[in-house]
Amino acid sequence: MGRGRVELKRIENKINRQVTFSKRRNGLLKKAYELSVLCDAEVALIIFSSRGKLYEFGSAGAGITKTLERYQHCSFTSQQNNVELETQNWYQEVSKLKAKYESLQRTQRNLLGEDLGPLSVKELQNLEKQLEGALAQARQRKTQILIEQMDDLRRKERHLGDINKQLKIKLEAEGHTLKAIESLWNANAAAHGNDSFSMHPSQPISIESCQPDPVLQMGYHHYVPAEGSSAPKNMAGETNFIQGWVL
């Protein structure tokens, strides 16, 4: 019976890992030598161990250094060819875009009514159809915008009408309140018979208007002798005389 298939993974045992490396390295070097001899191939093999030790093999006639130089030359040439190919593709793309740009500019001038001389009758007919189609779309869009604006204005009109109704109701309510206050003031004026209450209720009543006018008095108050008093009459006359200075 043959051995089972070994799973490829890192060998955890250090000794077993070193033994396996030595066996596989020798086998790989042997295979490289056999390939170069049997197939007349130029082979270069480089191996670095886990400790950094170098193992290499080169074909007998070439050597590893010459093989590496040849590899670098081939890689550079391949990269250079790739760059040239990519540059050529970009140049073609730029040429296509430039031609398309010039065509669009020419079409724009034709739509503006310029450079119509080189156009044929068929091209002019196509241009006329394009202009008619563009004009129809522009008119349709303009009509749609006008309809939207009219709907917006109608909504604003309804909103302002509602606000106007609310303000009217509020003003009417305030007017009824003012009329009730005015009737109350008129009723009070009629009950007291005072002209001061007949003023408009909206006019404020100041405290100064309710206070009496100031009186300037000079001398003594009126003196009236009591019955049986022994005060002389001339003193009573002087008192009455002084009372005349009261303003």
Side-chain angles (χ1 to χ4, degrees):
M1 294 178 64
R3 293 186 303 173
R5 191 170 184 179
V6 180
E7 183 181 359
L8 292 178
K9 64 179 182 179
R10 183 177 181 273
I11 301 174
E12 299 298 335
N13 193 318
K14 185 176 181 181
I15 298 175
N16 294 338
R17 186 169 60 246
Q18 186 65 31
V19 172
T20 303
F21 174 75
S22 299
K23 291 181 179 179
R24 297 293 180 106
R25 180 199 61 199
N26 294 333
L28 189 58
L29 293 173
K30 182 179 178 181
K31 292 293 184 181
Y33 171 74
E34 292 176 354
L35 181 62
S36 64
V37 174
L38 295 175
C39 300
D40 195 16
E42 187 175 349
V43 180
L45 177 61
I46 301 174
I47 301 174
F48 285 98
S49 66
S50 58
R51 297 180 180 180
K53 191 175 180 180
L54 172 63
Y55 301 92
E56 61 180 11
F57 168 80
S59 300
I64 190 170
T65 304
K66 189 176 181 180
T67 303
L68 291 176
E69 292 177 356
R70 184 178 178 183
Y71 169 76
Q72 292 178 356
H73 177 73
C74 292
S75 299
F76 178 77
T77 304
S78 178
Q79 293 177 0
Q80 187 176 5
N81 292 335
N82 292 333
V83 172
E84 291 178 356
L85 181 61
E86 188 176 359
T87 303
Q88 186 177 1
N89 293 334
W90 279 112
Y91 178 76
Q92 293 177 358
E93 188 70 21
V94 169
S95 301
K96 291 179 182 179
L97 292 175
K98 186 177 180 181
K100 188 175 182 179
Y101 174 73
E102 292 176 355
S103 177
L104 290 174
Q105 279 190 332
R106 184 168 57 254
T107 303
Q108 184 180 8
R109 288 195 300 269
N110 294 333
L111 291 173
L112 294 175
E114 301 175 357
D115 297 340
L116 300 178
L119 299 180
S120 61
V121 177
K122 188 175 181 179
E123 291 175 348
L124 291 174
Q125 290 177 353
N126 294 332
L127 180 62
E128 185 178 4
K129 290 180 180 179
Q130 292 178 2
L131 291 174
E132 289 177 355
L135 182 60
Q137 292 180 359
R139 288 175 178 173
Q140 183 179 1
R141 178 58 182 166
K142 183 184 70 173
T143 304
Q144 183 179 359
I145 292 175
L146 291 176
I147 292 173
E148 292 176 356
Q149 290 179 354
M150 290 177 64
D151 293 338
D152 190 15
L153 290 175
R154 289 194 185 97
R155 286 194 296 270
K156 290 181 179 179
E157 182 182 4
R158 289 194 295 269
H159 181 64
L160 292 176
D162 295 338
I163 294 176
N164 192 11
K165 289 180 181 179
Q166 294 176 2
L167 291 175
K168 185 177 180 181
I169 294 172
K170 188 175 180 180
L171 289 175
E172 289 178 355
E174 291 181 355
H176 290 317
T177 305
L178 291 175
K179 287 181 180 179
I181 295 174
E182 184 178 2
S183 62
L184 180 62
W185 276 84
N186 292 332
N188 291 332
H192 292 81
N194 194 346
D195 295 337
S196 61
F197 288 95
S198 63
M199 63 177 64
H200 197 275
S202 61
Q203 296 179 355
I205 301 175
S206 62
I207 299 176
E208 296 177 355
S209 62
C210 298
Q211 303 220 354
D213 295 335
V215 177
L216 177 62
Q217 181 176 353
M218 298 178 64
Y220 298 95
H221 293 284
H222 178 65
Y223 178 75
V224 178
E227 295 182 1
S229 175
S230 61
K233 295 183 178 179
N234 58 356
M235 184 175 180
E238 291 177 0
T239 304
N240 294 332
F241 176 76
I242 294 172
Q243 187 180 3
W245 288 92
V246 178
L247 297 181

